[in-house]
């Protein structure tokens, strides 16, 4: 069985239910909600063999455009205190690799999750510098929780995100303005896949 999930119902409402072998669920907002909800769903549905996550993301720089659809290669946890050298963790949280589906024909990115949404251009630049990557870097609140639970259960996961905003002071308003059309584009991509 394939699980297609998102943070909330508005992100998956345009999915067409084509098969009884597909389960569509919302996990809740934030990586902790995503992790605990996914754990419960997997315990209730032991026949899930693959997970697709769809959601929205903010881009840390302007190399991606609003409404771009992207596929995540790795999920990591953002600790802003550590990035700013104001805090530390005894052992870094591991990055979790995704299952890439080349047939989706979208840009590949890496993703960070945090308890809070970044809204500072200055901090965004520091985050990009500290997380040197070969790919663009985006932020989504839920993905790290989903990735760690899926990894624990040895279930491959794929994440498709739509860029709704940049991680700046206007990010929340831009997310509000764009999340519906971006969610529809993501669902259409999966509906036609």
């Amino acid at each position: 069985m394939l699980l297609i999930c998102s943070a909330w119902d508005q992100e998956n409402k345009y999915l067409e239910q084509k098969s009884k072998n597909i389960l569509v669920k919302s996990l809740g907002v934030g990586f902790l909600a995503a992790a605990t909800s996914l754990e419960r769903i997997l315990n209730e549905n032991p026949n899930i063999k693959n997970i697709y996550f769809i959601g929205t993301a903010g881009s840390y720089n302007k190399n991606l455009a609003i409404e771009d659809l992207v596929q995540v290669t790795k999920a990591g946890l953002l600790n802003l205190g550590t990035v700013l050298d104001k805090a530390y963790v005894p052992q870094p949280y591991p990055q979790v690799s995704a299952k890439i589906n080349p047939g989706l024909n979208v840009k590949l990115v890496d993703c960070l999750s945090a308890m809070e949404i970044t809204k500072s251009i200055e901090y965004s630049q520091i985050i990009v510098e500290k997380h040197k990557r070969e790919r663009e870097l985006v932020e989504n609140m839920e993905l790290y929780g989903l990735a760690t639970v899926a990894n624990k259960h040895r279930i491959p996961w794929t994440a498709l995100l739509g860029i709704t905003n940049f991680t700046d002071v206007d990010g929340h308003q831009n997310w509000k303005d764009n999340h519906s059309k971006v969610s529809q584009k993501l669902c259409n991509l999966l509906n036609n896949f």
Side-chain angles (χ1 to χ4, degrees):
M1 176 177 283
L2 169 65
L3 171 65
I4 301 176
C5 53
S6 61
W8 62 311
D9 293 339
Q10 296 301 308
E11 291 175 323
N12 63 39
K13 74 179 184 178
Y14 301 105
L15 285 174
E16 296 171 4
Q17 200 67 28
K18 294 181 181 179
S19 167
K20 291 184 180 186
N21 291 324
I22 298 175
L23 180 64
V24 177
K25 293 285 185 179
S26 298
L27 302 175
V29 175
F31 67 85
L32 184 58
T36 56
S37 294
L38 181 59
E39 187 72 46
R40 179 186 45 77
I41 291 167
L42 294 176
N43 288 334
E44 292 171 358
N45 300 278
N47 56 342
I48 291 173
K49 302 295 182 214
N50 205 343
I51 300 171
Y52 270 62
F53 177 78
I54 57 173
T56 58
S59 178
Y60 287 108
N61 58 45
K62 303 218 173 173
N63 292 338
L64 296 170
I66 302 298
E67 295 190 41
D68 275 356
L69 302 184
V70 298
Q71 186 174 178
V72 175
T73 61
K74 293 178 186 169
L77 188 61
L78 171 63
N79 294 297
L80 191 55
T82 302
V83 169
L84 298 175
D85 202 25
K86 302 293 182 191
Y88 72 95
V89 291
Q91 181 176 347
Y93 296 97
Q95 294 181 40
V96 185
S97 294
K99 176 184 174 191
I100 303 303
N101 189 329
L104 292 168
N105 198 27
V106 294
K107 296 176 185 176
L108 299 177
V109 300
D110 290 339
C111 182
L112 296 175
S113 296
M115 294 293 287
E116 303 168 314
I117 296 170
T118 305
K119 64 175 196 172
S120 162
I121 292 172
E122 176 189 359
Y123 287 176
S124 294
Q125 290 172 343
I126 294 169
I127 291 165
V128 169
E129 288 170 15
K130 296 276 183 155
H131 292 87
K132 296 224 182 283
R133 310 280 182 156
E134 56 191 64
R135 294 184 176 81
E136 295 299 325
L137 192 60
V138 301
E139 184 174 275
N140 170 279
M141 292 184 72
E142 294 75 36
L143 190 56
Y144 190 73
L146 174 137
T148 55
V149 171
N151 196 45
K152 174 186 138 187
H153 286 270
R154 294 185 175 95
I155 298 174
W157 59 276
T158 301
L160 299 169
L161 303 174
I163 305 302
T164 52
N165 59 279
F166 300 106
T167 53
D168 60 22
V169 70
D170 298 319
H172 184 66
Q173 184 59 50
N174 291 331
W175 176 85
K176 287 177 16 180
D177 293 343
N178 296 311
H179 77 84
S180 183
K181 61 186 162 191
V182 166
S183 296
Q184 189 167 9
K185 282 181 75 172
L186 285 166
C187 290
N188 287 342
L189 178 65
L190 283 184
N191 288 337
N192 295 316
F193 185 67

